[in-house]
Amino acid sequence: MQAQQLKLFQDITLQYFAKLAPGEPPAMEEPFLQFGELAGRDFTSLVAIHSEYDGYLYLSAPRPMLRELLAVNGEPEVGEATLRDMCRELSNVLSGNASQAFGGNWEISVPFTLDHEELARHPLPPSAFVMPFQWRGARSLLVVALAPPDSSSTSIPLRGGQDVGPQIAARGAASAPAAARPRGAVVYQLKRPLAELPDNLRLRNPRMGRAFRGHRRAQLRPDRFPARPCARGARPGLRPAARLRAARRKGAHLRRIPAGARHLARRRAAAAGRLPARRPGHAAARPAAAPAATPRRRPAGW
Amino acid sequence: MQHILARAGDQQAGQLDIYRVFIRINTKLLQRSGITTLRFQDDRLIEDPELQQAIAASVEKALGFPARPRSTSDE
């Protein structure tokens, strides 16, 4: 890691906040080194990096800062879900900044977010370069945590010695043995609920979002979630007009007749005397039910 | 740390070099000497010989020059 790369990463991360509030740029404090547990803030946005060093870049922000970010972005609702969404947005920003600053021989993972308890449980490298900054009265931490270079080169070593998450399964990549993967390859395995998908998979219309998530789920894990055939023969992520056009191209309108049109066709056929015979199970073909022999009575005691 | 910062020329490059040195040191050694947070302007006296050797070896391995021992003229 070069000093200019770290400086660039720091600058473009701070510029994100400066652009949101031009009159209130963030104030950088003196950096320091932390060995052992670092007191993280309420929500943390992380990106795993891999090159000559393995480690994480993360931004740990308190709730007041996330509330300010929501206010700047015009989000009226402030709750756990929206705070977490804002943290996910920050993790996407962090990922983009890391790719811009460290792109080249550094591999950047998919970003993910953790709250305070999850961060305490998540294994991180034992030493960290911490760059605190203040924005709108809230103090956040921009951290570079790297593991010693003598440790395993394909995984991020932990304090506990286990192999680290976060990973999202690529199709077929997770099943490849570790020896077959090229050195430095980053393999992602889905270890979190599918409900927590990145922002770019969530669409404005929740119905479209559900359909798209199901489609995306079938793409990511075809062994667990086989793709269901769409009734209209088109991809579920399309808008209704585009979906209809795609279905017409496939001839779906020739195979299906709406129920109302079927009923209308029967009435026209009945009027013209061309109605086919009723099927044996039809209600009109069954004999009328015989009346009950004795009238029904309420049981004693009612 | 001042020696490393002076050799680097740039403050941020020097801070990163210091981080590269301390990455290689076992954090248990540091925590045993009471070092959990280290600011670059701190002035600490390390009495643990094991930690002293680890720091000297890490400086030489990470930066390629020997750690300069502190002389009485620096007092």
Side-chain angles (χ1 to χ4, degrees), chain B residues 37-49:
Chain B
T37 300
L38 187 65
R39 298 192 181 273
F40 297 106
Q41 56 271 22
D42 282 355
D43 193 7
R44 291 179 184 248
L45 182 63
I46 295 171
E47 294 173 338
D48 184 1

Side-chain angles (χ1 to χ4, degrees), chain A residues 7-249:
Chain A
K7 182 84 169 67
L8 180 61
F9 173 71
Q10 178 186 325
D11 287 345
I12 54 181
T13 301
L14 296 179
Q15 274 172 18
Y16 170 77
F17 294 92
K19 283 178 187 171
L20 289 177
E24 301 172 72
M28 200 72 197
E29 296 180 2
E30 280 297 320
F32 59 91
L33 301 182
Q34 179 70 27
F35 307 108
E37 298 279 345
L38 175 64
R41 300 297 185 257
D42 297 313
F43 289 96
T44 304
S45 311
L46 299 99
V47 168
I49 55 175
H50 169 77
S51 181
E52 52 175 324
Y53 295 92
D54 289 344
Y56 291 92
L57 302 170
Y58 59 92
L59 175 65
S60 196
R63 286 172 195 273
M65 170 173 277
L66 296 175
R67 283 195 207 107
E68 291 292 333
L69 286 170
L70 287 171
V72 167
N73 283 293
E75 174 63 48
E77 183 185 345
V78 178
E80 281 300 310
T82 49
L83 289 175
R84 195 172 266 269
D85 286 346
M86 193 65 239
C87 195
R88 286 197 192 104
E89 171 67 24
L90 279 181
S91 63
N92 287 333
V93 169
L94 212 65
S95 175
N97 295 350
S99 300
Q100 187 178 346
F102 301 106
N105 57 345
W106 284 86
E107 293 190 21
I108 316 289
S109 80
V110 174
F112 61 106
T113 60
L114 298 173
D115 60 18
H116 188 72
E117 288 80 21
E118 289 168 343
L119 183 68
R121 289 194 301 267
H122 190 81
L124 294 169
S127 57
F129 186 99
V130 184
M131 295 168 280
F133 66 95
Q134 292 250 2
W135 186 69
R136 286 198 169 183
R139 188 170 183 262
S140 299
L141 305 176
L142 183 59
V143 183
V144 177
L146 301 176
D150 297 332
S151 54
S152 168
S153 60
T154 55
S155 65
I156 302 174
L158 312 176
R159 298 189 202 104
Q162 304 161 3
D163 205 352
V164 69
Q167 298 154 352
I168 297 178
R171 197 183 302 178
S175 58
R181 298 178 204 143
R183 186 180 180 282
V186 183
V187 177
Y188 299 97
Q189 280 185 346
L190 187 61
K191 288 190 179 181
R192 49 182 56 243
L194 283 171
E196 293 190 20
L197 292 174
D199 286 336
N200 54 359
L201 293 185
R202 191 177 313 126
L203 304 176
R204 286 185 180 275
N205 186 339
R207 286 175 57 192
M208 295 289 281
R210 276 199 293 274
F212 197 78
R213 277 198 292 276
H215 174 70
R216 188 78 175 137
R217 191 180 303 143
Q219 269 188 341
L220 289 175
R221 292 296 304 270
D223 53 334
R224 270 190 74 183
F225 303 101
R228 292 182 302 172
C230 178
R232 300 246 182 145
R235 192 163 58 84
L238 293 177
R239 290 190 299 277
R243 200 187 304 160
L244 280 174
R245 283 196 296 274
R248 278 212 183 86
R249 280 196 296 272

